Amino acid sequence: MTNKQLLFLVALINVIMMFLLIYKQNKIIKELYQLQQLHEKKNELLEKNKELLLQLHKNTQLSKIEQIANNNFDLQRMTLKDVSKIPIDTPPIDTSIEEPHANT
Amino acid sequence: MQTHNNFVRSLFVIIIFSIIYGIIAFNLYLIQIQQNTFFKDLGEKQYNITIQTFPQRGYIYDRNNNAVAINKDSFAAFILPKTLTQKDALLKFLQKHFALAYERFEQYNNKHFMFIKRNLSDQELECINNAQLCDIHILKESSRFYPYESLGPILGITDVDNHGQFGLEMLYNKTLQGTATTYKLKKDAKSHHFYFSKEMMQQGNQAAAITITLDGILQHKFQTILQETIAQHGSVEGAALSMDPDTGEIIACVSYPTFNPNDTKKLNMEETKCKPISNCFETGSVIKVFAALAALQEGVTTLDEEIDCENVKETYIDHLRVRTVYPCGKITFKEVMQYSNNIGMVKVIKRVGTDLYDTYTAVGFGSLTGVHFPGEQKGFVNHPKNWSAYSIQSLAYGYEITTSLLQLARAFSLLINGGYLVTPKLIKNNSPTQSVGPLFSKKTLDDMKEMLLSNMQAGCGTKANVADYTTYGKTGTANLLINGQYDEDRHLYTFIGAIEKDAYRRVIVCYVKDSKRATYASQISAPLFRQLAETSILHELINK
């Protein structure tokens, strides 16, 4: 290989390496950008979750539920007198073991 | 000649260019080497920024893992006085809708930043948005929401900067808040959001959640029942507490009057007090439980000993007047408790003497319970060195001694749990139950239980009986101290008691202050106790 050809090869390799480096850096920045976009999206969803959780707790406050129960459904608070014991008769456990039929 | 001229011209050009390049080289030397640090810092400031991120404040959960304190966003409006574009319109708007901010504006005229108002209500936020003034900016800040309003006195609230102000929010502020994490970001000079790299400079502590021993739903039910009782009797104040006598865990702790922790614009400090823990009062006849405990432990009497109560409402013992509500003749000591007879009680307790003080202090009266709640009061027990001739009889039926409901619950617990004085708990964790004891003999405790049972069957506590559950208890009707004198028409009605069945045990104590007409604790606090006990049973055992 002549000197000129060698020089040309070295220059070509260097140019390719430079392009690969630029490509790598480009890719990293692109991925980083996407990561940050996802982080922002995640934060938005977390904020939305927080808002919904707050709405849920506001709407399930006991005082509100009691109001609806009393006014809309005419429900009354249960007392211990309203609870009655019902005895459950449990059937006796069958402890008999069936004899296996003998092969004939 | 021409050659000489050419040479001079060339030399001149060379010299000029050398000077120019020399200046450039000198500048390069100044910038790159001499002022290297300055320009490096300037560049770094453009490209590197430091940010701090604060963790979200930790949630508070109740014993059933229901969230009782959560985070929400609140909004603050601010202006930048030095960069206003519509000053007149802004001032007109502030004058109409935010008068306080309008008054402050003069002082902030030369400042960079001014809050109009923090913690804006929904209406105020809508008003600002509708005004469409570009000089008003909105800032999102963190604040708290409390789904169970009745827990307000226990949990406390946070201020506009989301720091705990009182209650558990204040006590555990550091745990709930965490600390900021500092990051260094590398950005280009123009971009606002995008960064090339992120480096953590200082790791902060994560905010931690805490779990309390209280039951949010039961707390709400207790609050409702207490408020109904107070409304029914035209009372001014009341409180109730439920405790597990074996572990010391406080299950419910309610006060009236109380406040809504989600609406703190007008806060009455008296309503923010957790009355079962922070209020101490003269208990009246409930203290007879512990006076009887002292008498039985010291062996100065037995349950069956006949005591002559003289069948009168008023008598003199050692020249000192003693009065009682129900006159009784010769009755057993057990019956003295049943009928809450002061004459019989004084005759027995006089035999105990100064040991009465030792018993009262041994069961925790006059000292802090160890619950570590901000504002806890330790109450008072009159020391024997300060006793007057009246002291022994006053102490026998609940005067010259002040206690809180929590102290009463703790002391009553030892009658139920085998004589152990447990440390009450508000925070649920894995730490073992702290207790001291057994402080009294088994015989004494058995006798006390028998006495308290008979009280429920035939004494003043019959209206507190809970069907199918072993119920122990004692009523107390104490005269209120008004302007330095005891008012015989105004009372504090107390009930201390416990329910027990199989493995389920609860100590419930309550008081109601004042009523429309003078009456007794058997008519007010005893039925209140029964309702609270039945609610506890329904909620904790049946509705599970």
Side-chain angles (χ1 to χ4, degrees):
Chain A
M1 208 184 259
T2 63
N3 278 349
K4 264 191 185 169
Q5 279 174 336
L6 195 65
L7 207 65
F8 177 73
L9 191 67
V10 166
L12 186 68
I13 290 169
N14 272 319
V15 165
I16 291 168
M17 294 290 279
M18 267 191 325
F19 273 117
L20 282 173
L21 206 69
I22 292 166
Y23 175 75
K24 179 190 100 175
Q25 205 58 23
N26 210 19
K27 192 98 179 138
I28 289 171
I29 291 170
K30 214 173 168 180
E31 297 299 330
L32 205 59
Y33 183 72
Q34 272 185 346
L35 183 67
Q36 286 173 48
Q37 296 281 75
L38 288 170
H39 272 303
E40 280 191 21
K41 184 112 185 153
K42 177 187 137 192
N43 287 338
E44 267 173 37
L45 290 169
L46 284 172
E47 285 295 313
K48 187 88 189 158
N49 184 44
K50 197 164 82 173
E51 267 175 56
L52 288 170
L53 212 62
L54 178 67
Q55 281 306 314
L56 178 69
H57 279 108
K58 275 187 175 175
N59 290 334
T60 54
Q61 272 191 294
L62 291 173
S63 45
K64 267 193 182 154
I65 292 172
E66 268 186 356
Q67 216 176 13
I68 294 168
N70 286 337
N71 298 342
N72 296 13
F73 300 104
D74 207 23
L75 294 173
Q76 300 298 321
R77 199 163 61 217
M78 202 166 97
T79 62
L80 204 57
K81 284 180 210 162
D82 300 324
V83 176
S84 46
K85 283 186 199 170
I86 304 169
I88 299 170
D89 293 322
T90 50
I93 299 166
D94 186 4
T95 53
S96 63
I97 301 165
E98 250 188 39
E99 295 263 353
H101 292 289
N103 285 330
T104 52
Chain B
M1 190 68 176
Q2 190 131 10
T3 320
H4 178 73
N5 285 343
N6 284 343
F7 176 73
V8 167
R9 276 197 213 116
S10 304
L11 194 64
F12 181 72
V13 168
I14 288 167
I15 289 166
I16 293 293
F17 274 101
S18 298
I19 290 168
I20 290 168
Y21 285 130
I23 290 167
I24 291 169
F26 181 67
N27 257 332
L28 277 172
Y29 165 77
L30 281 177
I31 291 166
Q32 297 273 41
I33 294 160
Q34 187 137 2
Q35 293 175 325
N36 169 274
T37 322
F38 171 74
F39 286 105
K40 194 176 167 187
D41 287 343
L42 194 65
E44 278 206 5
K45 273 182 197 162
Q46 280 185 334
Y47 298 118
N48 292 338
I49 63 158
T50 308
I51 58 162
Q52 276 191 326
T53 56
F54 294 90
Q56 287 279 305
R57 194 173 176 89
Y59 280 19
I60 302 178
Y61 296 95
D62 78 350
R63 66 189 291 111
N64 300 317
N65 278 328
N66 297 317
V68 296
I70 61 173
N71 295 321
K72 69 165 190 171
D73 290 325
S74 69
F75 298 94
F78 70 93
I79 54 172
L80 305 170
K82 281 196 167 180
T83 59
L84 296 174
T85 54
Q86 298 170 292
K87 190 172 175 180
D88 293 331
L90 174 72
L91 285 174
K92 206 170 158 187
F93 175 78
L94 289 180
Q95 192 178 21
K96 189 177 176 191
H97 298 285
F98 296 95
L100 292 172
Y102 177 75
E103 283 167 25
R104 281 188 293 117
F105 183 78
E106 276 307 310
Q107 301 165 27
Y108 283 82
N109 222 345
N110 291 323
K111 306 276 182 184
H112 288 283
F113 181 95
M114 180 188 126
F115 271 122
I116 293 173
K117 193 174 180 214
R118 298 175 82 177
N119 211 358
L120 295 167
S121 66
D122 294 335
Q123 293 88 348
E124 286 166 340
L125 188 63
E126 202 184 327
C127 179
I128 289 171
N129 287 334
N130 290 341
Q132 290 184 330
L133 290 165
C134 56
D135 288 324
I136 300 181
H137 309 278
I138 301 294
L139 177 69
K140 205 195 276 191
E141 296 182 303
S142 268
S143 67
R144 291 289 241 189
F145 179 74
Y146 303 95
Y148 298 86
E149 292 161 6
S150 53
L151 280 169
I154 291 278
L155 297 177
I157 55 172
T158 54
D159 64 7
V160 75
D161 292 314
N162 222 17
H163 298 144
Q165 285 298 283
F166 56 89
L168 296 179
E169 289 273 28
M170 186 188 81
L171 193 62
Y172 291 94
N173 191 51
K174 277 195 179 145
T175 308
L176 292 167
Q177 210 171 37
T179 53
T181 303
T182 311
Y183 294 97
K184 191 161 115 176
L185 305 180
K186 241 185 191 47
K187 295 185 166 192
D188 77 356
K190 278 196 176 175
S191 78
H192 296 293
H193 296 289
F194 182 68
Y195 57 84
F196 293 99
S197 75
K198 189 176 182 181
E199 190 190 328
M200 179 159 54
M201 305 301 291
Q202 191 178 1
Q203 169 81 59
N205 293 328
Q206 276 296 320
I210 60 171
T211 304
I212 58 176
T213 58
L214 286 95
D215 184 323
I217 297 174
L218 187 62
Q219 176 88 359
H220 173 83
K221 291 179 180 180
F222 267 38
Q223 187 75 44
T224 310
I225 292 168
L226 179 68
Q227 281 177 208
E228 284 171 358
T229 303
I230 284 171
Q232 186 190 347
H233 295 283
S235 307
V236 298
E237 186 184 308
L241 183 139
S242 169
M243 190 166 115
D244 183 332
D246 299 304
T247 62
E249 288 179 357
I250 299 171
I251 314 294
C253 181
V254 294
S255 308
Y256 181 86
T258 187
F259 75 107
N260 181 355
N262 297 314
D263 179 13
T264 56
K265 287 196 169 49
K266 285 177 191 170
L267 215 54
N268 181 339
M269 293 318 288
E270 198 52 41
E271 291 173 1
T272 63
K273 271 180 162 183
C274 178
K275 290 172 179 56
I277 301 176
S278 306
N279 270 19
C280 286
F281 50 92
E282 284 181 312
T283 57
S285 296
V286 295
I287 215 72
K288 286 175 186 162
V289 171
F290 308 101
L293 185 68
L296 290 169
Q297 179 71 2
E298 296 303 317
V300 303
T301 188
T302 59
L303 288 187
D304 301 321
E305 184 194 345
E306 262 199 2
I307 312 292
D308 182 12
C309 299
E310 300 178 29
N311 214 4
V312 291
K313 279 192 176 183
E314 185 180 304
T315 187
Y316 284 82
I317 299 172
D318 295 340
H319 312 291
L320 299 170
R321 189 174 69 168
V322 179
R323 293 191 295 176
T324 193
V325 175
Y326 300 112
C328 300
K330 284 188 180 162
I331 53 174
T332 62
F333 184 56
K334 191 160 90 174
E335 286 166 329
V336 165
M337 272 293 273
Q338 254 181 30
Y339 300 114
S340 204
N341 189 283
N342 290 341
I343 295 168
M345 204 68 204
V346 168
K347 285 188 174 181
V348 170
I349 297 308
K350 272 188 168 298
R351 302 174 201 170
V352 179
T354 56
D355 287 335
L356 184 65
Y357 173 84
D358 295 336
T359 302
Y360 283 172
T361 51
V363 301
F365 298 146
S367 54
L368 295 174
T369 59
V371 76
H372 299 301
F373 186 77
E376 184 191 3
Q377 295 298 309
K378 62 181 183 178
F380 168 78
V381 183
N382 197 8
H383 195 279
K385 69 179 182 202
N386 300 323
W387 283 8
S388 66
Y390 271 108
S391 293
I392 187 78
Q393 71 189 49
S394 298
L395 285 164
Y397 45 76
Y399 296 93
E400 293 190 30
I401 172 172
T402 60
T403 68
S404 63
L405 276 188
L406 181 61
Q407 286 174 328
L408 285 170
R410 186 186 182 214
F412 202 84
S413 293
L414 66 82
L415 301 177
I416 309 300
N417 67 16
Y420 292 89
L421 192 68
V422 291
T423 301
K425 278 202 276 193
L426 275 172
I427 302 296
K428 207 158 174 61
N429 51 33
N430 293 328
S431 60
T433 304
Q434 289 179 337
S435 63
V436 174
L439 299 179
F440 300 93
S441 67
K442 191 175 179 305
K443 170 121 185 25
T444 303
L445 294 172
D446 289 342
D447 285 347
M448 281 305 308
K449 276 185 166 181
E450 192 185 321
M451 190 186 275
L452 292 168
L453 262 176
S454 75
N455 197 31
M456 304 305 293
Q457 281 146 20
C460 307
T462 47
K463 288 197 171 158
N465 248 324
V466 178
D468 292 335
Y469 281 74
T470 309
T471 316
Y472 311 96
K474 180 75 184 78
T475 54
T477 307
N479 294 336
L480 286 175
L481 192 65
I482 312 284
N483 297 326
Q485 281 192 317
Y486 286 108
D487 188 331
E488 297 199 4
D489 292 325
R490 295 178 65 184
H491 304 107
L492 186 86
Y493 309 99
T494 316
F495 192 95
I496 57 171
I499 46 171
E500 189 177 54
K501 187 176 182 180
D502 301 328
Y504 179 76
R505 295 205 277 218
R506 288 288 180 264
V507 165
I508 298 172
V509 293
C510 55
Y511 80 77
V512 171
K513 193 173 181 181
D514 241 338
S515 67
K516 272 187 293 208
R517 54 179 183 84
T519 181
Y520 297 102
S522 55
Q523 306 300 317
I524 298 185
S525 52
L528 174 60
F529 167 86
R530 197 198 76 246
Q531 281 186 77
L532 295 173
E534 287 179 353
T535 303
S536 286
I537 291 162
L538 264 175
H539 177 73
E540 292 186 290
L541 294 181
I542 296 172
N543 273 353
K544 242 185 180 172

